[in-house]
Amino acid sequence: MSQVPATPPPPPPGPSPPPAAAPPKPEPVRAKDLAAKISAKFPGVKADYLREKRLKVTTSAAAIKDLAVFARDSLGFDHLSTVSGVDWIAKNELEVIYFVGSLAPGWADFVLCLSERIPRDSPVVPTLVEVWTGADYHERETHEMFGINFQGHPNQAHILLPEDWNDLPPLRKDYISPGR
């Protein structure tokens, strides 16, 4: 016959110990330093947000390529993770956001977001394929889903939608699915 281990006695009555204080959030020092370097080189660039592991900056379409080259060559952001779009329909703008990273020691967890806003009725931006070759597929997808034309891109053919698609890009907010 096996014995069942005894359960420990309940804690004595009395006030419970105070909860441990949460450790303070680290300052976004890296992001502040990067924002300072970027704004020193590009005074028109706006830092949209700074976090411990993320910095988002917005510039014009005319300056995005220069900013990308600076981020790659001077700041060490050696690869592109993805490209995304945002439809700001109320402002009549589209936004392109490049998420870039670095494999340098101490930076692998940090994401730099390079952003540009353009009018919805003339959505043309320069391609960044020459800066990061990984932009190729992501720019094609953003072109297809938001209707943003990447000037100088080597191939903006459809990859997800049918070749004969002639409706609004499906991720624009004014697109209405035929089944709705």
Side-chain angles (χ1 to χ4, degrees), residues 9 17 99 119 143 164 174:
F99 297 84
H143 165 71
D164 60 346
D174 49 353

Side-chain angles (χ1 to χ4, degrees), residues 120-174:
R120 288 179 94 240
D121 56 352
S122 60
V124 179
V125 298
T127 183
L128 295 188
V129 170
E130 297 160 357
V131 181
W132 294 291
T133 56
D136 183 10
Y137 175 84
H138 301 288
E139 286 182 350
R140 285 179 69 186
E141 182 181 7
T142 305
H143 165 71
E144 191 170 16
M145 295 292 127
F146 288 93
I148 297 167
N149 295 308
F150 292 89
Q151 193 171 38
H153 192 282
N155 179 12
Q156 291 191 87
H158 286 285
I159 51 176
L160 301 171
L161 296 173
E163 290 178 17
D164 60 346
W165 182 268
N166 63 0
D167 203 343
L168 284 173
L171 292 183
R172 286 206 180 184
K173 291 184 178 174
D174 49 353

Side-chain angles (χ1 to χ4, degrees), residues 27 41 61 74 124 135 144 176:
E27 285 287 317
K41 176 80 174 173
S74 299
V124 179
E144 191 170 16
I176 299 172

Side-chain angles (χ1 to χ4, degrees), residues 12-173:
S16 58
K25 291 215 175 223
E27 285 287 317
V29 174
R30 294 182 296 175
K32 287 180 182 177
D33 290 345
L34 277 178
K37 288 177 183 177
I38 290 170
S39 63
K41 176 80 174 173
F42 301 93
V45 171
K46 176 183 165 232
D48 293 323
Y49 60 79
L50 297 106
R51 301 287 188 274
E52 177 191 358
K53 298 179 181 180
R54 184 164 293 195
L55 167 65
K56 180 183 177 207
V57 295
T58 300
T59 189
S60 66
I64 191 73
K65 189 173 270 189
D66 291 336
L67 177 58
V69 169
F70 178 74
R72 182 193 65 194
D73 296 347
S74 299
L75 301 178
F77 286 89
D78 51 20
H79 70 277
L80 177 98
S81 299
T82 193
V83 179
S84 185
V86 179
D87 185 0
W88 297 100
I89 193 167
K91 295 181 179 183
N92 199 31
E93 293 178 329
L94 293 171
E95 181 177 23
V96 180
I97 307 169
Y98 292 87
F99 297 84
V100 297
S102 174
L103 297 176
W107 287 93
D109 64 340
F110 194 88
V111 178
L112 174 62
C113 304
L114 307 177
S115 169
E116 58 190 327
R117 288 197 179 195
I118 50 176
R120 288 179 94 240
D121 56 352
S122 60
V124 179
V125 298
T127 183
L128 295 188
V129 170
E130 297 160 357
V131 181
W132 294 291
T133 56
D136 183 10
Y137 175 84
H138 301 288
E139 286 182 350
R140 285 179 69 186
E141 182 181 7
T142 305
H143 165 71
E144 191 170 16
M145 295 292 127
F146 288 93
I148 297 167
N149 295 308
F150 292 89
Q151 193 171 38
H153 192 282
N155 179 12
Q156 291 191 87
H158 286 285
I159 51 176
L160 301 171
L161 296 173
E163 290 178 17
D164 60 346
W165 182 268
N166 63 0
D167 203 343
L168 284 173
L171 292 183
R172 286 206 180 184
K173 291 184 178 174

